[in-house]
Amino acid sequence: MEATWLQIPLAFLILPLLVFGAPADESAPQDVSTTLRDCKRCCDPLDVSTSESHHGTSPRSSPYVIPEVRPYINITILKGDKGDRGEPGIPGKWGKEGPPGEQGAPGPKGSKGQMGTPGDPCKHQYAAFSVGRKKALHSSEGYQALIFDSVFVNLYSHFDMFKGKFYCYVAGLYFFSLNVHTWNFKETYMHVMRNDQEEVILYAQPSDRSIMQSQSLMLELRENDEVWVRLYKRERDNAIYSDDVDIYITFSGYLIKPALE
């Protein structure tokens, strides 16, 4: 019975040891307080010198590395609408000319164009003619132009064979010559005409011999002037000779110098 009463006090003594454990060293509370002092918040400034003074070189005293926070702004969110187009600026200076490029490939052949208008005959800076007559001619009641039936030269057809006249298409200085065969016992009376004006006369008196007679001159002609030979009207027995075989009568002319030069 006594033993049972002794066990009850011992149980009360042992129970606190089982619940609370054995008492620890007095230095433990100091370590806990030191650990609590070493704790830092992320927003606290980094004080390296203070940490080193409190903790020395102990690995437990190393401070936390605070990461650097940089703000980032998304520009595309703040971008506004596109504005109006501005006025062009002042042109800059011309740059240096570059080297010439290579020649390109030839293009395809184009289609044939339309026919152009006829050119101006005055553009031909040449004029010449030489004509002849095989038939004899007697004067009539009025004046008559000497018509020719043979052509030696008629450049650009400036001499009209139907009218017996040379038409000036190129203004300038010209040379003309007239050759005829007189008829014996008959008079020869002719003029070299410019338009309606008598320029020179070819004349031979009646004779028992027929001879070759000639006349030549230079004229400064304008465009559209006419040069021709006129047989005088019948007041005398006026005629020129030919035999229908050979050419005794000739009229020639050519341009010496155009007026445009």
Side-chain angles (χ1 to χ4, degrees), residues 5 95 129 133 149 185-186 190 237 246:
W5 286 104
F129 73 93
R133 181 183 174 97
D149 51 28
F185 303 110
K186 293 184 179 181
M190 311 179 72
D237 195 4
D246 296 321

Side-chain angles (χ1 to χ4, degrees), residues 1-70:
M1 190 68 178
E2 291 180 358
T4 302
W5 286 104
L6 289 174
Q7 290 178 357
I8 292 173
L10 288 176
F12 281 102
L13 292 175
I14 295 172
L15 183 61
L17 293 176
L18 295 176
V19 175
F20 298 102
D25 191 9
E26 294 180 358
S27 62
Q30 185 178 359
D31 292 338
V32 174
S33 62
T34 303
T35 304
L36 293 175
R37 286 197 306 269
D38 290 340
C39 293
K40 289 182 176 291
R41 293 178 299 177
C42 294
C43 58
D44 289 342
L46 180 63
D47 190 357
V48 178
S49 60
T50 306
S51 290
E52 290 180 354
S53 64
H54 286 290
H55 308 288
T57 59
S58 174
R60 295 178 59 186
S61 64
S62 298
Y64 293 100
V65 178
I66 301 175
E68 183 179 359
V69 179
R70 295 184 179 181

Side-chain angles (χ1 to χ4, degrees), residues 240-254:
I240 51 177
Y241 173 81
S242 189
D243 59 4
D244 294 338
V245 177
D246 296 321
I247 298 177
Y248 291 91
I249 307 164
T250 61
F251 182 42
S252 304
Y254 57 89

Side-chain angles (χ1 to χ4, degrees), residues 90-97:
I90 301 174
K93 296 182 179 179
W94 284 96
K96 295 182 179 180
E97 184 177 357

